[in-house]
């Protein structure tokens, strides 16, 4: 049985980037098993975007914090709803490349259920040009 993966996305007033973030998760050939978006008292149109993007998406949960908890508080709140084996924490102003969940499930399965799975992180400009690579804290150059 392949491992299950949840994505927890904390958000506060990131509507400028939120569509790209959610689209990058929703258009995966192998999607995550759960998507939990925690809105941390946004005052922009973030919540409308989240509701439209996640409408009728299986495994999606929208959490609206009753008070602003900050990023870590929102992440912890999102974890309360996760039932998957693994969790990817994704900021609302980030996005994932195509194939990340497929590669994660394959790598986790091949490794025999490791305690941690990690990926490399690129800093990109607003046009999507790669500027700088932050390697994974887990030392490996392949799956």
């Amino acid at each position: 049985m392949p491992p299950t993966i949840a994505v927890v996305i904390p958000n506060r007033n990131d509507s400028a980037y939120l569509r790209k973030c959610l689209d990058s998760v929703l258009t995966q050939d192998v999607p995550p098993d759960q998507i939990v978006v925690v809105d941390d008292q946004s005052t922009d149109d973030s919540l409308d975007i989240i509701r439209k993007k996640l409408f009728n998406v299986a495994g999606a949960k929208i959490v609206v914090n009753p008070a602003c908890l900050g990023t870590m508080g929102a992440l912890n709140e999102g974890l309360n709803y996760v039932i998957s084996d693994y969790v990817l924490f994704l900021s609302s102003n980030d996005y994932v490349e195509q194939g990340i969940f497929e590669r994660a499930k394959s790598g986790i399965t091949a490794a025999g259920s490791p305690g941690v799975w990690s990926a490399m992180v690129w800093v990109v400009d607003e046009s999507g040009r790669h500027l700088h690579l932050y390697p994974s804290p887990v030392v490996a150059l392949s799956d």
Side-chain angles (χ1 to χ4, degrees), residues 88 116-122 133-141:
L88 170 66
V116 175
W117 180 83
S118 184
M120 292 186 215
V121 176
W122 280 97
L133 174 67
Y134 287 100
S136 167
V138 176
V139 181
L141 297 177

Side-chain angles (χ1 to χ4, degrees), residues 57-97:
V57 173
K61 174 75 176 165
I62 302 168
V63 179
V64 180
N65 286 342
C68 184
L69 301 177
T71 302
M72 294 310 296
L75 285 173
N76 285 329
E77 184 61 28
L79 277 174
N80 289 327
Y81 297 91
V82 170
I83 59 172
S84 295
D85 301 317
Y86 292 87
V87 180
L88 170 66
F89 296 117
L90 184 65
S91 295
S92 54
N93 62 357
D94 291 338
Y95 64 92
V96 292
E97 295 286 342

Side-chain angles (χ1 to χ4, degrees), residues 45-62:
D45 62 338
S46 290
L47 201 50
D48 289 336
I49 293 168
I50 295 164
R51 286 180 175 139
K52 286 176 185 169
K53 290 287 184 182
L54 297 185
F55 182 73
N56 281 340
V57 173
K61 174 75 176 165
I62 302 168

